[in-house]
Amino acid sequence: MASEEMEQLVRREYKQGFVTDIESDTVPPGLDESTIAFISQKKEEPQWMLDWRLEAYHQWLKMTPPSWAHLEYPPIDYQAISYFSAPKKPEDRPQSLDEVDPKLLETYEKLGIPLHERAALAGVAVDAVFDSVSVTTTFKEKLHEAGVIFCSISEAIREYPELVRQYLGTVVPQADNYFAALNSAVFTDGSFVYVPEGVKCPMELSTYFRINAANTGQFERTLIICDKQAQVSYLEGCTAPMRDENQLHAAVVELVALEDAYIKYSTVQNWYPGDEEGKGGIYNFVTKRGDCRGDRSRISWTQVETGSAITWKYPSCMLRGKESIGEFYSVAVTNGRQQADTGTKMIHIGENTRSTIVAKGIAAGRSDQAYRGLVKIGPRAKGARNYTQCDSLLIGDQCGAHTFPYQEIGNSTATVEHEATTSKIADDQLFYCRARGIDEEDAVSMIVNGFCKDVFQELPMEFAVEAEALLNVTLEGSVG
Amino acid sequence: MLEVKDLHVTVEDKAILKGLNLTINAGEVHAIMGPNGAGKSTLSAVIAGKDGYEVTQGTILFEGQDVLEMEIEERARAGLLLGFQYPVEIPGVKNIYLLKAALNAQRAARGEGEIPAPEFMKLVREKSAEMKMDPSFLQRAVNEGFSGGEKKRNEILQMLVLQPKLAMLDEIDSGLDIDAMKVVADGVNSLRDANRAILLVTHYQRLLNHIEPDHVHVLVDGRIVKSGDKDLALELEARGYDWVLEGSAA
């Protein structure tokens, strides 16, 4: 296929959400101690929380943004950002689906998003959404019966201060990195989950969360704690396109798994990637880390990343407990001018710890992406094992994929395997499918979905279906 | 059905076909033979629409339609189907999924709805059995980890499911042992009927012992230099291509 045809194929328009001009309760741009005090006060936080934020802020002032990633972007003016914006009032939101951009609804349709969720996702005022309210209530009751705490981080700080204080910042310390420090100082939203000992969370924490996440904040902080023998599957993000006037997003996610606990954390993210020149897209600088603190604990990250202008993200596992398991399954798709530097870190500390990394990168258009992975085996990690597989698929000839695997092996009994491939979406694969009568667009999505299979099968069922649909929508272009 | 007139094709500025003429009617089986590098595979690739081949002169008509104006998938949907010499592997895409997508694409082009799932399963099981393929092949990724013989059987399976009007089989016999050859040949023979034509591209005569052609053409240096019936293939086998070259030069 000629390369300009290929380029046309991959140059798809972002199926953007709606943009509304709504006045919000926003602080003026700028960051100093008074901004942080304002946020803390708005959230009705206790003094210790404010002190913690200020400590992070002072560390942040001494730090510089990281420059090692394979990314290019102009310096960010942190004084030009507004750090607090109150949620939209119900009367400012669309009152029913009839007021929502039909194109957005069409996208939901294509993605197969259940009817009762569409309204909430589109930002329709919640009391106008009969279905989602009842759904939410049912979920809340079920969780309460099981003893699972699931609420916003702000609510948790007020209602469960001991738990928050015990765990917050123990996985990602305040000064872990530049963006984590910033987040620690100014975070405004996010989720808190606590699953008590021996409890298997009765449902995937998904739909409920997605409804409530329709207006996610710029600096989210999520903390999930799974007590001994507890289990939870948590779904973050949404296949529906998300647009946000805030360009910089710096979230922190901390997971703590105690003895025999299992946390499965799945992300599907579809932030606005910017226009064809990459203007206006979201910068997504995220710190996600899981701590397998107890013996035989297990943390599994699965992510499908299709959005953002810039992605900087390395969900990691600290494998402290004996025989603990860390997993990372990732599909990253970049198109247009998108840049992504993503990967994982598996830090083997305990004996007989195991980790698996399966990373699939798909680059199209003029995008650029890097896989960056660290496998570190400490001196006490006898018998540790890692398996890493990184595959990159290039669509067209103007994109790039890079792999940076790092290994630090401090123990001779460890086994570390690494496999990496880079392939162009083969013209002969496309020709083969088309010569069977399948049109070009369907052939591309078929091949790409096949490439991602190993990762998609790790996603919870309903999410996997949506993820496949998302890839199809993402690669949907103007063929011919 | 198919009419190729004065076809000139270049690949990277090198002339491969230099004025090829070929007419195939419904119900006929044609075999194109010739030495390596004569342009045999180029002919079927150009008809199917593969990239990288430039037609500098001549026409290809299929049931009166100008094939060169059609997209690759349009040609397939019109009933022109190419069986590959080297079928590609598509990791993660189930064989059965590709078959169903292809069949439904062709049905849609004919204005028919999607095939109901039970009907499709029955069809595919039946045809796999004909090709002596274990049903587990349907659940495996397209051609991934298939042996040479399994790939070729899979190509014919696709033909049996898609029922093309003109089946073009490029070196379908290469890499087959005698048992696999028999299965493949039986599959191809089952496609033979009065409304369908088959174009075999082959280097060796042995395939033609199993699939008896109505017409045999010898392709040398981009042109058909000799045509005849099945006996021509036997004569080629006995006397080699040099004999044709001498004959045509004389």
Side-chain angles (χ1 to χ4, degrees):
Chain A
M1 180 191 304
S3 67
E4 77 247 36
E5 277 177 61
M6 187 64 106
E7 204 196 324
Q8 233 187 7
L9 175 67
V10 301
R11 195 193 305 131
R12 41 82 184 173
E13 262 176 60
Y14 185 74
K15 304 285 186 252
Q16 69 186 50
F18 63 107
V19 183
T20 47
D21 292 317
I22 293 170
E23 294 167 42
S24 56
D25 186 1
T26 305
V27 289
L31 179 58
D32 57 23
E33 292 194 7
S34 69
T35 326
I36 294 165
F38 175 83
I39 292 169
S40 192
Q41 192 197 345
K42 274 270 180 190
K43 297 276 172 191
E44 298 164 39
E45 289 175 355
Q47 183 64 35
W48 64 264
M49 195 64 242
L50 174 61
D51 294 345
W52 196 86
R53 288 176 179 276
L54 290 172
E55 213 176 291
Y57 172 66
H58 289 126
Q59 307 232 38
W60 178 74
L61 286 176
K62 289 183 240 150
M63 299 167 84
T64 48
S67 57
W68 43 264
H70 190 82
L71 300 171
E72 270 180 52
Y73 56 94
I76 297 166
D77 181 358
Y78 293 92
Q79 295 303 330
I81 294 169
S82 170
Y83 290 86
F84 185 83
S85 156
K88 287 167 189 158
K89 294 186 199 99
E91 59 267 31
D92 293 332
R93 300 203 197 163
Q95 295 302 306
S96 78
L97 277 176
D98 300 339
E99 295 174 33
V100 174
D101 181 352
K103 270 200 158 171
L104 185 71
L105 297 177
E106 200 182 298
T107 307
Y108 292 166
E109 178 79 47
K110 281 183 191 163
L111 291 170
I113 290 169
L115 266 177
H116 67 265
E117 287 178 39
R118 292 183 197 174
L121 285 171
V124 173
V126 167
D127 27 342
V129 187
F130 171 73
D131 274 352
S132 71
V133 172
S134 57
V135 167
T136 307
T137 314
T138 322
F139 283 174
K140 271 190 170 160
E141 279 168 11
K142 259 196 183 176
L143 288 174
H144 184 75
E145 272 170 38
V148 174
I149 301 172
F150 182 30
C151 59
S152 77
I153 190 91
S154 305
E155 192 182 333
I157 291 165
R158 289 192 304 270
E159 306 292 327
Y160 313 98
E162 329 72 45
L163 274 174
V164 175
R165 229 177 151 173
Q166 188 184 345
Y167 290 101
L168 187 74
T170 62
V171 184
V172 179
Q174 285 147 298
D176 184 81
N177 65 67
Y178 189 80
F179 300 112
L182 179 63
N183 174 287
S184 300
V186 302
F187 72 86
T188 44
D189 226 321
S191 301
F192 176 81
V193 177
Y194 174 78
V195 188
E197 184 170 341
V199 172
K200 182 170 185 255
C201 188
M203 71 191 71
E204 269 157 1
L205 299 181
S206 60
T207 319
Y208 170 88
F209 176 73
R210 290 199 312 193
I211 287 167
N212 285 274
N215 289 294
T216 47
Q218 192 174 4
F219 300 98
E220 280 183 73
R221 184 105 195 175
T222 295
L223 177 58
I224 299 177
I225 302 138
C226 230
D227 215 321
K228 293 173 188 173
Q229 291 117 36
Q231 283 187 28
V232 68
S233 170
Y234 184 89
L235 309 187
E236 177 209 17
C238 181
T239 51
M242 302 280 259
R243 188 159 196 172
D244 196 303
E245 52 268 51
N246 301 313
Q247 193 169 33
L248 174 68
H249 282 242
V252 170
V253 176
E254 296 180 280
L255 311 182
V256 180
L258 301 182
E259 264 171 55
D260 298 293
Y262 175 28
I263 302 177
K264 183 175 176 65
Y265 192 103
S266 312
T267 308
V268 172
Q269 196 54 269
N270 189 19
W271 291 112
Y272 180 56
D275 63 15
E276 276 186 37
E277 293 305 314
K279 284 192 189 125
I282 304 282
Y283 293 0
N284 198 21
F285 300 100
V286 184
T287 305
K288 288 183 164 177
R289 196 172 303 154
D291 188 355
C292 283
R293 209 165 277 186
D295 293 349
R296 296 169 302 278
S297 56
R298 177 176 170 198
I299 289 179
S300 180
W301 298 101
T302 305
Q303 59 170 17
V304 177
E305 296 284 330
T306 65
S308 298
I310 295 180
T311 303
W312 181 96
K313 180 176 176 185
Y314 317 90
S316 306
C317 295
M318 310 278 292
L319 303 169
R320 280 185 221 280
K322 283 181 198 166
E323 293 168 42
S324 59
I325 298 173
E327 292 162 314
F328 175 73
Y329 302 97
S330 167
V331 166
V333 188
T334 51
N335 200 347
R337 287 278 187 169
Q338 283 177 278
Q339 304 175 61
D341 194 301
T342 181
T344 185
K345 285 188 272 187
M346 291 291 173
I347 314 294
H348 293 254
I349 299 163
E351 284 175 23
N352 295 315
T353 43
R354 283 185 286 148
S355 61
T356 302
I357 298 171
V358 178
K360 306 271 183 182
I362 299 156
R366 284 178 292 175
S367 67
D368 209 5
Q369 62 170 267
Y371 166 80
R372 192 180 299 278
L374 169 68
V375 176
K376 186 172 177 175
I377 314 264
R380 288 189 295 118
K382 270 189 274 175
R385 300 176 74 91
N386 163 265
Y387 172 73
T388 300
Q389 184 194 333
C390 310
D391 300 316
S392 307
L393 185 67
L394 306 177
I395 304 181
D397 51 14
Q398 293 184 57
C399 50
H402 316 267
T403 304
F404 303 100
Y406 306 93
Q407 295 180 343
E408 293 173 25
I409 318 291
N411 191 303
S412 60
T413 60
T415 314
V416 176
E417 292 172 72
H418 181 91
E419 288 175 28
T421 64
T422 299
S423 48
K424 260 192 82 165
I425 191 164
D427 283 350
D428 53 354
Q429 286 178 337
L430 265 185
F431 177 61
Y432 189 81
C433 294
R434 295 179 69 194
R436 298 287 170 261
I438 298 164
D439 73 36
E440 196 166 17
E441 226 170 61
D442 291 346
V444 168
S445 77
M446 189 187 279
I447 294 165
V448 169
N449 273 304
F451 176 77
C452 300
K453 201 106 212 166
D454 300 348
V455 173
F456 283 173
Q457 67 192 17
E458 295 297 328
L459 286 171
M461 191 55 193
E462 58 160 303
F463 235 29
V465 173
E466 282 186 27
E468 274 193 40
L470 173 63
L471 271 203
N472 295 347
V473 171
T474 305
L475 292 165
E476 193 173 78
S478 42
V479 179
Chain B
M1 180 180 272
L2 182 79
E3 203 171 345
V4 180
K5 269 192 188 158
D6 192 29
L7 188 65
H8 287 69
V9 175
T10 60
V11 177
E12 290 171 351
D13 294 329
K14 191 172 174 262
I16 305 291
L17 296 183
K18 304 167 185 173
L20 185 140
N21 293 291
L22 177 67
T23 302
I24 298 177
N25 298 310
E28 295 176 350
V29 176
H30 288 243
I32 303 237
M33 304 185 69
N36 285 329
K40 298 193 299 292
S41 294
T42 299
L43 176 63
S44 53
V46 168
I47 296 172
K50 193 168 164 63
D51 228 26
Y53 297 83
E54 199 191 339
V55 176
T56 53
Q57 203 178 311
T59 53
I60 304 174
L61 295 180
F62 179 66
E63 295 191 318
Q65 278 182 283
D66 184 353
V67 171
L68 297 174
E69 289 298 310
M70 296 159 79
E71 292 289 339
I72 300 165
E73 51 268 37
E74 288 170 356
R75 301 180 194 195
R77 290 170 191 169
L80 268 169
L81 212 60
L82 173 64
F84 284 59
Q85 182 179 5
Y86 304 109
V88 294
E89 301 188 357
I90 311 179
V93 176
K94 280 184 187 175
N95 218 8
I96 192 163
Y97 184 72
L98 178 85
L99 272 174
K100 194 170 182 187
L103 182 59
N104 280 331
Q106 302 207 356
R107 286 171 68 105
R110 293 194 295 262
E112 298 166 19
E114 292 196 354
I115 186 168
E119 195 184 316
F120 175 70
M121 287 312 297
K122 186 167 170 284
L123 173 73
V124 171
R125 283 215 192 92
E126 205 177 284
K127 299 299 182 189
S128 319
E130 274 182 44
M131 293 312 295
K132 304 210 165 27
M133 290 171 80
D134 191 271
S136 67
F137 272 90
L138 297 168
Q139 301 301 328
R140 285 170 59 182
V142 177
N143 292 317
E144 201 181 35
F146 287 23
S147 71
E150 286 163 351
K151 284 183 183 172
K152 294 297 170 69
R153 274 192 270 171
N154 200 37
E155 291 296 291
I156 304 301
L157 172 65
Q158 294 180 2
M159 296 276 169
L160 297 184
V161 171
L162 298 174
Q163 297 281 318
K165 288 179 187 158
L166 174 62
M168 300 183 286
L169 303 171
D170 188 8
E171 308 263 358
I172 199 72
D173 51 332
S174 67
L176 293 186
D177 62 31
I178 194 71
D179 294 331
M181 172 92 85
K182 182 93 181 36
V183 174
V184 164
D186 287 348
V188 174
N189 283 328
S190 77
L191 283 169
R192 291 181 89 142
D193 73 32
N195 301 316
R196 198 188 328 271
I198 296 169
L199 175 62
L200 301 167
V201 172
T202 182
H203 191 71
Y204 299 106
Q205 190 271 334
R206 61 170 194 165
L207 176 70
L208 308 182
N209 290 334
H210 301 278
I211 308 168
E212 200 168 283
D214 304 302
H215 301 274
V216 173
H217 311 278
V218 183
L219 181 60
V220 177
D221 193 27
R223 287 187 201 89
I224 288 177
V225 295
K226 200 172 177 65
S227 297
D229 59 16
K230 64 181 170 36
D231 295 337
L232 176 58
L234 292 168
E235 203 158 357
L236 279 172
E237 176 84 349
R239 303 173 73 168
Y241 289 113
D242 288 344
W243 158 74
V244 188
L245 284 174
E246 284 158 23
S248 66

